[in-house]
Amino acid sequence: MLDVANFDLNAIGMEYIRDPYPVLHALRRESPVHRNADGSVFLTRHADVLKVYQSRAMLSDKTEEFGKKFGECPLHTHHTTSLVFNDPPYHTVVRKLLASAFTPRKLAVFEGLIEGIVDRLLDQVEEKGELDLIDDFAKVLPTEIISFMLGIPPEYRQKLRGYSLAILGALDPVVPPERLKAGNEAVTEFTEILTDIIDHRRRNREGAMEGEVLESLIFGEIDGRKLSEEELMQNCIFLLNAGHETTTSLVGNSVGILLNNPDEHRRLLAEPELITTAVEEFLRVESPLQQGNRLAGEDIDLGDVVLPKGTYIHTSIAAANRDPAVFEEPDRVDLGRKPNRHLAFATGIHICLGATLARVEGRIALGGLVRRFPKLAANGESSMVPLARFRGYASLPVRVR
C-alpha cells in the first residue's frame, strides 16, 4: 500500500520514474495539494494545475531557487536566462523574437522539410528491418529541424541529444553530483559551438535560410530592445532543449503506446485519418514533460486550500492528464478521444511556443511510420530515460517486417 502521507517529491527513486502513475493517482485521491518535506507543494488535480498555469501571478523566475540548487555555474546562468524560467517584461521580448520562427509561412517551410526528412528516415528504417527507434528515427528528426533553425553544421548534430538530456536532467527534483557535472559541461561545450555559429552568421547575414530563427535572435529588436550576448546564447540553448528532447520523446512514447495497445494500433492502421487525435492522446497518456514549477507571487485559492504568496509549487502535468474528473477512463488509450483537454504543452503565457511545430512533426513522423510499416513490433527490452521531470525512452528496439 502506498504511503501517501510520507511521499516526498524530493526523495523519489527509480521505481517512481519507471511508473509514476499509481503514486500520482493515490496523491490526487488522498492528498491533491501535497506538502513536501521542504515546504513546497505538489499539485495533481487538473483544475489546480490549470489554474496555476493560467494565473499571471504565478512566477516562473527561479533565480533564488536555482541559486540554492546549482550555485554559480553554467547551469545556473542558463536556467535563469532562458525564456522558460523568466517572466514579463523580459519573457515578452524573447517570446516575440522567437515567435518569428513559428509564423504560418515559416511553419509551411518546416512542413515540407519534415516530410523530406521523414521520407529519408523511413527509407533507412526499411533497409535496416530491425533498429532502435530512438537512435535511428525518433531523435534524428528533431535534430535535423533544430539544426536547421540554429544553423548547426552536420559534424555537431550527433552531440545534440546528449547536451539536451544533460541540461534538462539537472532540473529533476533529485540530482546527483555527476548529473550536475554533466549538465555544466554540456552548457559550456554547446556555448562554444554556438559562439562560432553566431559569429559566422553575423558576418554572413545573407546566408540565412528561410525558417532560420538564429538570424531573428541575433538581429531582431522589440521596442528598441535587443538580446544581450548572454541572453542570445542561453535562448539558443533553450531552443535546443525545447525542440529536441520533447519531440524525441513524443515520437518514442507514441510508438511505445501503440506497441502496448495492439487494439488501438490496429485501429490506427484501419483509420489513418485518426492520426491528428492520436497525437493528442499520445501527448496526454505519456507527456514528454511530466511536471513544471511556479512560485506563488500572491495568494492563490484552489477551492479547498489557499496557498500563500511565496509557496513553491510543483505542477504534475502527468497527473493532470489522467484526472478522472476531466478524462473518462483516464488510463485507457483512446486514439479518437474528443475533447482532449490535456496540458502537455502547459497553457497561459508560458504555453509551449513550438506546440504547433511539435504536432506537425508528430503527425508526419508517426503517420508515415505506421502507414509504411503495419507490422511494426517490439524487438527486445526497452529502457526509459532515468528522469522524473521528463519522460521518454532511452532505447526502444523494434522490427518493421
Side-chain angles (χ1 to χ4, degrees), residues 2-239:
L2 293 170
D3 184 10
V4 170
N6 292 315
F7 174 80
D8 185 1
L9 186 63
N10 299 300
I12 54 172
M14 279 306 300
E15 185 178 356
Y16 175 89
I17 289 171
R18 277 191 293 270
D19 184 12
Y21 303 110
V23 175
L24 296 176
H25 281 317
L27 284 167
R28 194 191 313 103
R29 285 192 309 269
E30 301 171 37
S31 184
V33 184
H34 185 78
R35 188 75 63 172
N36 294 302
D38 64 357
S40 66
V41 167
F42 190 38
L43 303 182
T44 48
R45 290 183 298 210
H46 187 282
D48 295 341
V49 174
L50 182 65
K51 185 164 189 176
V52 166
Y53 280 147
Q54 290 181 332
S55 171
R56 292 202 170 207
M58 300 298 106
L59 307 177
S60 286
D61 186 299
K62 306 292 191 309
T63 303
E64 185 177 345
E65 180 70 19
F66 287 160
K68 297 173 188 173
K69 184 171 187 174
F70 300 132
E72 286 299 320
C73 63
L75 277 170
H76 182 266
T77 301
H78 170 65
H79 286 306
T80 56
T81 310
S82 68
L83 173 73
V84 69
F85 292 124
N86 276 282
D87 300 300
Y90 172 70
H91 174 272
T92 307
V93 171
V94 178
R95 192 174 178 94
K96 284 181 178 178
L97 287 171
L98 289 175
S100 66
F102 299 99
T103 62
R105 189 164 66 91
K106 296 279 180 70
L107 286 170
V109 173
F110 283 127
E111 187 149 356
L113 181 67
I114 293 164
E115 287 172 348
I117 295 169
V118 169
D119 285 345
R120 173 171 56 81
L121 290 175
L122 292 178
D123 287 343
Q124 294 173 6
V125 167
E126 187 164 25
E127 263 184 48
K128 287 175 180 286
E130 298 182 353
L131 64 146
D132 185 329
L133 187 94
I134 304 304
D135 280 345
D136 298 323
F137 186 76
K139 78 175 186 182
V140 184
L141 174 60
T143 295
E144 294 294 315
I145 296 297
I146 199 67
S147 296
F148 176 78
M149 293 173 74
L150 294 176
I152 297 173
E155 61 264 29
Y156 296 120
R157 293 177 187 177
Q158 65 179 2
K159 297 183 176 183
L160 295 186
R161 191 185 190 215
Y163 290 151
S164 182
L165 281 172
I167 296 166
L168 294 174
L171 295 173
D172 252 21
V174 182
V175 188
E178 60 271 19
R179 194 181 294 167
L180 288 176
K181 181 175 182 290
N184 282 313
E185 288 173 351
V187 173
T188 300
E189 287 180 25
F190 194 42
T191 297
E192 291 171 358
I193 292 169
L194 284 169
T195 299
D196 290 341
I197 293 169
I198 290 167
D199 287 346
H200 175 77
R201 178 57 68 236
R202 280 202 172 104
R203 295 192 304 270
N204 300 275
R205 184 171 184 176
E206 70 286 351
M209 299 176 68
E210 186 177 15
E212 182 188 295
V213 70
L214 183 63
E215 183 194 26
S216 299
L217 291 174
I218 293 171
F219 301 106
E221 201 171 294
I222 301 293
D223 300 327
R225 167 80 154 84
K226 296 181 73 171
L227 295 181
S228 70
E229 200 68 16
E230 190 71 81
E231 291 166 349
L232 170 61
M233 201 70 65
Q234 302 308 329
N235 281 291
C236 285
I237 297 175
F238 160 72
L239 270 179

Side-chain angles (χ1 to χ4, degrees), residues 130-134 259 377-383 393 395-399:
E130 298 182 353
L131 64 146
D132 185 329
L133 187 94
I134 304 304
L259 296 177
N379 190 39
E381 194 163 338
S382 61
S383 62
Y393 285 93
S395 176
L396 181 56
V398 298
R399 64 176 186 274

